[in-house]
Amino acid sequence: HVQLVESGGGSVQDGGSLRLSCTVSGHDDGSGVMGWFRQAPGKGREGIAGIFIDNDETYYDGSVEGRFTISRDNAKNTVYLQMNSLKSEDTALYYCATDCLGGSCSYWGQGTQVTVS
């Protein structure tokens, strides 16, 4: 049974920082990309950061590039999203996912709320 559990969300003031964590269990042979996504109220889900499982290459959506950093700790089966210089428009429910290929992901977490005010 594959399980992804996000943590680290919360409320922060404009300009603040948060670090999200996503721990994967029951899945030791991932492939493709591990990614972070978010969904703001009334909007669709958008991909914001990804890290390739085979070589740790990263990529970011333009809305977060330079402010957010995705990283991975293989020993802990955990992927992180360091979020700096947070803005009100970053307010959303943040999800992690793994085994993402061609725009779709096989496994998803339940989401963690980030509120910036």
Side-chain angles (χ1 to χ4, degrees):
H1 176 64
V2 180
Q3 191 172 18
L4 282 70
V5 179
E6 301 102 333
S7 61
S11 296
V12 65
Q13 291 187 335
D14 194 67
S17 298
L18 285 172
R19 188 176 83 153
L20 305 183
S21 301
C22 172
T23 299
V24 182
S25 61
H27 188 53
D28 294 330
D29 56 350
S31 62
V33 174
M34 295 186 74
W36 284 97
F37 299 76
R38 67 185 181 187
Q39 186 166 18
K43 296 186 178 181
R45 188 168 57 196
E46 60 174 348
I48 57 171
I51 184 166
F52 283 86
I53 290 173
D54 61 352
N55 63 8
D56 285 345
E57 181 178 345
T58 60
Y59 63 89
Y60 302 90
D61 181 77
S63 63
V64 305
E65 191 160 18
R67 300 187 298 124
F68 291 10
T69 303
I70 187 171
S71 61
R72 198 162 67 99
D73 185 332
N74 291 339
K76 296 181 179 179
N77 281 342
T78 299
V79 62
Y80 303 98
L81 186 69
Q82 177 66 44
M83 306 186 296
N84 299 328
S85 301
L86 283 161
K87 309 173 183 179
S88 58
E89 52 262 45
D90 294 317
T91 294
L93 188 61
Y94 283 70
Y95 299 88
C96 69
T98 192
D99 290 28
C100 302
L101 289 170
S104 66
C105 304
S106 296
Y107 305 103
W108 291 85
Q110 81 290 347
T112 186
Q113 180 66 39
V114 172
T115 302
V116 185
S117 59

